[in-house]
Amino acid sequence: GCRVVVSTGRICGEAAEFAAHMGADDLMVTSSGACISTVSTETCLQRTTIGWESAVRAAAAVERIGLNAMIYVGERLLLTPYCDLNFSKYKTNEGFLRTKEVVPSCAEYIADNKMDIDKIFCRSNTPEMLYYVRNSLLSTHGLRIISSASDNVEIMNPSVNKACALERVCERYGTDLAHTIAIGDSENDIEMLEAVGMPVAMGNGNDQVKAIAKMITKTNAEHGVAHAIYELLGR
């Protein structure tokens, strides 16, 4: 009788691959809350986007700094050849390969086509580069910058978070956030965990997440999600 909903920073096509494999329900929260998507059709039912002018500025700043980046546009991932080369070293799943589109410059592509985008995901092992891109975009209107891990930043519309998207999913399924368990580990999970009836932090989650959780489960290496499900629903 429980709904199992994937809530992720991944694009819908990539998330659907994993959601289908685990037998989750059809609706998903994808792109860190920018989209509500379906597993069955791998499409976005609803999007909250960054306007194209702000998107161009953000994409140009990321390219200028030299970060590895993926631009989320509905069901597509835009990458430059350089970024594709780097992401493809470890992202070999079918969902990524099927949704990516390689273009010479993402910033120019967005500008030329006047495209609204869902999210920019940037990765770097150099903290100074991530810090620099955060600061360089602070004054740009229409952007929110958060992180889902220590080696990345995510750029989205300021109104986007997983809590708002999950609330809309709950409405579609005839329930509400008070009757929802959410499990998270990072900055992009905080609003969702604050909003639900039972917030669960991963054992390897950051301190902000653990501070608002009602339960701290085991780490991901110790199957923490499964442990939380058995503890809360298996009785």
Side-chain angles (χ1 to χ4, degrees):
C2 296
R3 297 285 188 178
V4 179
V5 174
V6 170
S7 180
T8 177
R10 293 175 185 265
I11 198 166
C12 61
E14 206 174 356
E17 178 183 351
F18 299 109
H21 183 68
M22 67 188 285
D25 279 273
D26 195 45
L27 293 179
M28 304 180 290
V29 173
T30 57
S31 301
S32 297
C35 299
I36 296 173
S37 307
T38 66
V39 178
S40 57
T41 63
E42 297 186 13
T43 56
C44 300
L45 301 180
Q46 186 173 343
R47 299 170 61 204
T48 304
T49 60
I50 302 170
W52 76 272
E53 291 182 344
S54 297
V56 170
R57 292 180 182 179
V62 168
E63 288 184 8
R64 184 174 65 252
I65 294 167
L67 291 170
N68 288 312
M70 296 184 289
I71 315 292
Y72 294 54
V73 186
E75 290 85 32
R76 290 186 295 161
L77 285 173
L78 298 180
L79 303 95
T80 66
Y82 171 79
C83 295
D84 179 45
L85 178 66
N86 285 289
F87 280 114
S88 295
K89 291 177 181 178
Y90 68 93
K91 290 177 73 70
T92 58
N93 58 292
E94 180 61 29
F96 170 74
L97 298 174
R98 190 172 58 251
T99 57
K100 73 175 183 177
E101 180 177 346
V102 180
V103 297
S105 166
C106 292
E108 290 182 9
Y109 190 86
I110 294 165
D112 292 343
N113 293 281
K114 290 186 166 55
M115 301 174 72
D116 295 343
I117 68 169
D118 305 328
K119 187 177 87 166
I120 301 177
F121 175 87
C122 311
R123 171 161 283 163
S124 175
N125 291 320
T126 306
E128 291 79 9
M129 293 181 72
L130 299 175
Y131 177 81
Y132 183 64
V133 76
R134 276 181 178 260
N135 281 313
S136 66
L137 293 173
L138 281 177
S139 61
T140 302
H141 176 73
L143 300 178
R144 179 190 184 209
I145 306 173
I146 61 170
S147 173
S148 60
S150 61
D151 65 348
N152 71 50
V153 293
E154 300 185 348
I155 305 168
M156 301 176 296
N157 182 295
S159 66
V160 165
N161 61 65
K162 289 183 178 180
C164 292
L166 185 58
E167 184 175 27
R168 294 193 292 270
V169 170
C170 286
E171 290 171 355
R172 288 171 179 263
Y173 280 141
T175 187
D176 55 44
L177 291 173
H179 293 88
T180 302
I181 300 166
I183 307 174
D185 63 358
S186 303
E187 183 183 1
N188 70 344
D189 296 315
I190 288 175
E191 291 92 349
M192 177 178 69
L193 295 174
E194 289 175 333
V196 299
M198 175 54 72
V200 179
M202 295 295 294
N204 56 294
N206 68 36
D207 291 339
Q208 278 183 294
V209 170
K210 290 180 177 178
I212 59 177
K214 292 182 180 178
M215 173 186 177
I216 299 177
T217 186
K218 297 180 180 181
T219 68
N220 60 328
E222 299 169 313
H223 310 292
V225 172
H227 177 76
I229 290 170
Y230 290 135
E231 284 290 307
L232 295 170
L233 301 177
R235 296 174 181 174

